[in-house]
Amino acid sequence: MEVAANQNALHPFDYAAVALYYVLVLTVSVYSACRPNRNTLSGYFLAGRYMHWLPVGASLFASNIGSEHFIGLAGSGAAAGIAVGAFELNALILLQVLGWIFLPVFIASGVCTLPEYMMKRFGGTRIRVFLAALSLILYIFTKISVNIYSGSLFIQQAMGWNIWYSILLLLCLTYLCSAIGGLAAVIYMETLQFFIIVLGSLIVMVTGFIAVGGWQELTVRYLQAVPNETFPNATCGIPRQDSWIMLRDPINSDMPWPAFLLGQTPASIWYWCADQLMVQRALAAKSLSHAQGGTLLAGYVKILPVFIMVLPGMISRVLYTDEIACVKPEICERVCGNPVSCSNSAYPRLVLGTLPTGLRGVMLAVMLAALMSDLSSVFNSASTLFTMDMWKRVRKQSTTKELLIVSKVFTAILVVISIIWIPIIQKTQGGQLYIYIQSVSSYLAPPIAAIYCLALAWSRINEQGAFWGLMTGLSIGLIRMALDFSFPEPHCFEEDTRPLIVSKVHYMYFAMILFWTTILLSVIVSLLTEPLPEYMLIRTTYRTRLDKRKRDDDDQPLRVEELELMMAAKRKAAENDMDGDVTKHADSKCVKPSLFLRLFRWVCSIETEPEKEQRLARDVQDRIDQERDPERELRLTREAEDYLSKKKVNTLEQTPRDKMILNTCLAVIITVAISLYAFFSVSPLSAEETEYLRMEAYNRSLYHTNSTS
């Protein structure tokens, strides 16, 4: 705390940069609020499905890169070296798995949320509700709470504000920006923040390398970054022998390569390919080609975090070793307020220590951009899951107005729960925030990823197999997570008395076991029970994504959000014993609300447009009145939906030119990912050189400790 306070020297120019950032964000939000279809469910939750590849790709990156990445990736880089960058390179490939395998099925099935896809694939509602609830739990544990906590660390050190007041202000602004315009406001805001994040973090990276003396100096000095105050006869505070190796030893390491490839990668399928937060942005694209272009853009940009977050964290440890690499609890408590570790302070310490006046404010705006983009994304996705997959199951007759209000109230409840969880985050996984996120995901996400993979790839899996696979996997994962929180990791100088399942089974190996156990159990249960009706496989598996046959459930009432505005006036006319003339009713009953009520409706996205209702209702009603045949009416209703949205969104059509360009870029990005893994998995120094540098620094630290005691 004291160190951070001493470094707090923000200039008025710094505050001006932050103010300019907020003006830009609010301008974008207000612009989105003026869109004509934001007060419909499709417009609010899927941005009207007209996004191009650039905002889709920028949104995928910005919604993923939150303040927890700046704090967590840099912190893990400072504590354990470059290995944490493997998670970021892994995303290069998984994003393309989303674009080329998962997304075509989701688009062909015509769903709005992923739990809705599960209901269409398996039938029933229990899997849909279960997945929605589990996703919300993951949002609390791994997204909202860690964003709030990581944002508070930076703001506290940069500005000296009280943590809770700072977070309250940020939450209010983020909530307001995302609530005003829905997903379109979020995507537009994230596109702006995408450029701010990349530019600002590149500035920090360059100034950090200049301060440390370049790449060669960093490779040597990081291995010598041992704090002056340490414990004798212990490895506390000494950089790892494999600090410059990304995929490490299978047994005695924190990044075992078999567990990463066979466990962590399948588990990450949930986040990148089966999480509403990510998939919702791709579903907002105007076509499959634009969606795939967005995943390619996001994949290429995901190369940057290794250089703009992990390496700056390692630089920070070199420049401020006694603060960032502290091991004695009393010193860490004095420096950052956390007796476990101060590695999470690596990035803000580097920003405050190397950037000149004015640029600190720019970087503070970058951190706020990351915090707000990630939080606003989670807010929108969480409200979508709860509203569409849970609330509508309870209140099937709920109106658009009710659903939009419920979504905003629920978001506020999520925030409160997440704030309560923050104290637990501080004390887990040795103070490494990013490792905490990955470990919790490894306990809960593998069963979800396993079921989605089976749903797309294996037509024989049925509802019973999927449900019991999920339930069993969740039960096992919750037990391991409870043990982790009950038996926190000891300090390096303390004896490890945790149960063997916690101390000896790495969380990545546990994810591997959990993923394949769920698959095995689901297969067995599915083979022992009746298969699904054949029509439920139409356009819900990868093999049948292009199937043009009619599903038996296609004749069920459609969820046509765009028609709700029109039909609301018609229902109101019937309730007042009026005739079916919607236009007459709207003209006679339309009463202009007060200014306050109109402002409230505008902020909450529930304002109405009587003239638009009259025009659209008259158009649809005239066409339906031409013939009263039920099949004809159903067809006309579908045509009206296409007419209102001005496009057909459930199409997989691509031109040969688009396919050639996209597939070429796909081959290039996979090659780049593999090449980067190979490059960063070979240490730039020999084992003898590494050991000599580490021991020399350790002996120097012991001498300093003994001479001052």
Side-chain angles (χ1 to χ4, degrees):
M1 299 288 186
E2 294 177 2
V3 174
N6 293 336
Q7 296 297 324
N8 181 26
L10 293 183
H11 192 271
F13 287 135
D14 298 321
Y15 293 103
V18 177
L20 176 61
Y21 161 73
Y22 272 111
V23 169
L24 290 174
V25 169
L26 290 175
T27 301
V28 170
S29 297
V30 171
Y31 166 76
S32 300
C34 297
R35 292 178 304 108
N37 68 332
R38 78 183 185 103
N39 53 341
T40 66
L41 296 183
S42 177
Y44 187 83
F45 292 125
L46 286 179
R49 282 173 164 165
Y50 63 87
M51 291 295 171
H52 292 260
W53 61 271
L54 177 59
V56 169
S59 178
L60 283 169
F61 178 80
S63 60
N64 165 244
I65 298 297
S67 56
E68 85 278 5
H69 278 71
F70 284 96
I71 300 298
L73 285 176
S76 292
I82 203 169
V84 71
F87 293 103
E88 298 305 296
L89 298 184
N90 198 32
L92 271 69
I93 298 176
L94 292 179
L95 274 165
Q96 312 323 313
V97 173
L98 167 63
W100 267 261
I101 297 178
F102 281 77
L103 200 57
V105 179
F106 296 150
I107 293 177
S109 61
V111 298
C112 180
T113 67
L114 297 190
E116 181 187 358
Y117 161 77
M118 282 302 204
M119 186 180 71
K120 203 164 188 176
R121 170 67 173 84
F122 295 115
T125 59
R126 59 179 182 175
I127 293 180
R128 178 180 184 178
V129 175
F130 174 80
L131 283 177
L134 184 56
S135 296
L136 293 175
I137 293 173
L138 279 163
Y139 286 167
I140 294 173
F141 289 159
T142 66
K143 297 183 185 297
I144 303 177
S145 55
V146 296
N147 263 285
I148 297 173
Y149 171 61
S150 58
S152 69
L153 287 177
F154 191 92
I155 296 172
Q156 180 193 38
Q157 295 198 25
M159 308 185 74
W161 292 358
N162 178 277
I163 289 180
W164 302 108
Y165 290 157
S166 304
I167 291 305
L168 180 62
L169 175 63
L170 287 174
L171 287 173
C172 290
L173 289 172
T174 305
Y175 181 77
L176 178 63
C177 292
S178 60
I180 284 179
L183 181 61
V186 172
I187 291 180
Y188 286 138
M189 187 167 63
E190 286 171 345
T191 303
L192 168 67
Q193 291 163 340
F194 164 78
F195 293 103
I196 296 176
I197 290 172
V198 172
L199 178 61
S201 53
L202 284 174
I203 293 174
V204 174
M205 181 194 71
V206 172
T207 56
F209 269 106
I210 292 174
V212 81
W215 174 267
Q216 294 297 331
E217 281 293 309
L218 177 61
T219 57
V220 173
R221 294 179 63 183
Y222 179 81
L223 295 171
Q224 297 179 315
V226 179
N228 288 323
E229 295 291 334
T230 186
F231 295 97
N233 302 320
T235 59
C236 306
I238 305 177
R240 294 179 59 95
Q241 175 81 23
D242 52 9
S243 294
W244 287 103
I245 299 176
M246 186 168 285
L247 297 181
R248 299 174 174 176
D249 185 80
I251 305 298
N252 301 313
S253 74
D254 59 339
M255 186 66 70
W257 67 265
F260 180 80
L261 296 178
L262 300 177
Q264 189 61 44
T265 297
S268 296
I269 289 177
W270 163 75
Y271 181 83
W272 291 108
C273 306
D275 179 19
Q276 183 70 19
L277 177 65
M278 290 293 125
V279 179
Q280 189 173 0
R281 273 130 196 83
L283 287 177
K286 65 185 299 184
S287 67
L288 177 61
S289 295
H290 280 272
Q292 291 177 341
T295 61
L296 284 169
L297 173 63
Y300 281 114
V301 182
K302 282 294 285 183
I303 298 173
L304 291 178
V306 175
F307 300 95
I308 63 178
M309 297 175 191
V310 179
L311 291 179
M314 301 174 73
I315 293 172
S316 184
R317 173 171 180 148
V318 171
L319 298 178
Y320 313 104
T321 305
D322 289 334
E323 302 166 26
I324 305 304
C326 63
V327 293
K328 291 189 174 181
E330 61 273 15
I331 296 178
C332 294
E333 178 74 33
R334 184 175 68 251
V335 171
C336 65
N338 186 356
V340 178
S341 171
C342 285
S343 61
N344 286 330
S345 300
Y347 200 86
R349 185 66 183 86
L350 181 66
V351 169
L352 297 173
T354 60
L355 290 185
T357 298
L359 285 181
R360 293 183 182 183
V362 173
M363 199 56 217
L364 179 58
V366 169
M367 292 297 296
L368 296 179
L371 172 67
M372 290 183 62
S373 65
D374 211 10
L375 280 179
S376 59
S377 301
V378 178
F379 289 167
N380 189 270
S381 297
S383 63
T384 302
L385 284 174
F386 179 79
T387 304
M388 305 303 296
D389 295 305
M390 301 180 73
W391 187 264
K392 284 198 74 173
R393 308 307 305 172
V394 178
R395 287 183 52 82
K396 297 181 179 180
Q397 304 301 323
S398 53
T399 64
T400 299
K401 175 180 178 179
E402 176 184 338
L403 292 175
L404 293 175
I405 293 177
V406 166
S407 70
K408 295 168 177 58
V409 174
F410 177 73
T411 301
I413 296 174
L414 275 184
V415 170
V416 173
I417 298 175
S418 301
I419 292 175
I420 297 174
W421 186 255
I422 288 178
I424 298 177
I425 297 177
Q426 293 178 287
K427 302 184 183 300
T428 57
Q429 297 299 329
Q432 293 190 52
L433 183 65
Y434 199 77
I435 301 303
Y436 157 81
I437 298 172
Q438 299 302 327
S439 63
V440 172
S441 298
S442 296
Y443 305 148
L444 301 179
I448 306 178
I451 297 304
Y452 272 101
C453 290
L454 284 174
L456 269 69
W458 191 45
S459 59
R460 183 60 179 82
I461 184 174
N462 58 19
E463 197 270 349
Q464 292 93 331
F467 179 76
W468 290 112
L470 280 171
M471 290 298 295
T472 304
L474 175 64
S475 301
I476 297 173
L478 285 175
I479 292 173
R480 171 62 192 264
M481 188 172 74
L483 289 173
D484 253 20
F485 291 146
S486 301
F487 301 94
E489 183 179 0
H491 293 283
C492 63
F493 56 87
E494 297 177 343
E495 182 183 359
D496 193 345
T497 59
R498 296 175 295 170
L500 292 180
I501 187 65
V502 177
S503 61
K504 300 299 183 183
V505 181
H506 194 278
Y507 71 87
M508 291 186 189
Y509 279 114
F510 181 84
M512 179 179 69
I513 296 171
L514 190 56
F515 179 83
W516 296 107
T517 299
T518 302
I519 287 182
L520 179 62
L521 181 62
S522 299
V523 169
I524 293 175
V525 174
S526 296
L527 292 176
L528 294 176
T529 52
E530 293 293 325
L532 291 170
E534 186 179 358
Y535 80 87
M536 299 190 74
L537 303 177
I538 298 175
R539 294 184 296 279
T540 56
T541 68
Y542 187 79
R543 184 177 61 85
T544 63
R545 67 191 187 282
L546 301 176
D547 198 327
K548 302 297 184 182
R549 289 179 296 166
K550 182 179 180 182
R551 291 174 58 101
D552 290 353
D553 56 359
D554 282 346
D555 288 336
Q556 296 178 359
L558 297 178
R559 180 179 47 78
V560 186
E561 293 86 6
E562 285 82 359
L563 295 177
E564 289 185 359
L565 287 174
M566 296 175 280
M567 305 325 297
K570 187 175 181 180
R571 287 194 299 268
K572 192 170 184 179
E575 292 172 0
N576 288 274
D577 294 325
M578 298 181 64
D579 58 23
D581 189 340
V582 181
T583 306
K584 178 180 177 182
H585 172 67
D587 290 337
S588 61
K589 291 293 184 179
C590 181
V591 178
K592 188 175 182 180
S594 65
L595 177 62
F596 176 79
L597 183 57
R598 278 183 288 162
L599 180 62
F600 173 78
R601 288 177 175 177
W602 183 81
V603 171
C604 293
S605 309
I606 57 175
E607 81 282 4
T608 61
E609 301 180 29
E611 296 81 6
K612 180 183 296 184
E613 288 184 18
Q614 296 167 28
R615 184 178 68 255
L616 296 178
R618 182 166 52 248
D619 178 78
V620 174
Q621 190 65 47
D622 289 346
R623 301 181 70 191
I624 291 178
D625 285 343
Q626 293 176 3
E627 290 193 37
R628 283 296 181 180
D629 180 70
E631 293 186 4
R632 192 73 176 147
E633 183 170 337
L634 178 62
R635 184 177 65 81
L636 289 171
T637 302
R638 290 176 178 171
E639 291 178 0
E641 181 182 15
D642 290 339
Y643 166 77
L644 290 172
S645 60
K646 296 183 177 63
K647 59 190 167 300
K648 296 180 180 179
V649 295
N650 298 330
T651 179
L652 302 181
E653 296 179 0
Q654 292 178 294
T655 65
R657 176 176 171 272
D658 289 345
K659 284 186 178 181
M660 182 187 68
I661 295 175
L662 291 169
N663 290 333
T664 301
C665 293
L666 174 65
V668 171
I669 197 171
I670 292 177
T671 303
V672 168
I674 296 174
S675 301
L676 288 172
Y677 271 128
F679 176 79
F680 284 115
S681 292
V682 178
S683 177
L685 301 173
S686 67
E688 293 76 14
E689 290 174 323
T690 301
E691 187 63 19
Y692 172 77
L693 292 172
R694 293 171 68 244
M695 290 301 100
E696 182 187 40
Y698 178 62
N699 292 331
R700 185 174 62 249
S701 173
L702 284 181
Y703 176 78
H704 181 273
T705 301
N706 294 331
S707 62
T708 57
S709 60

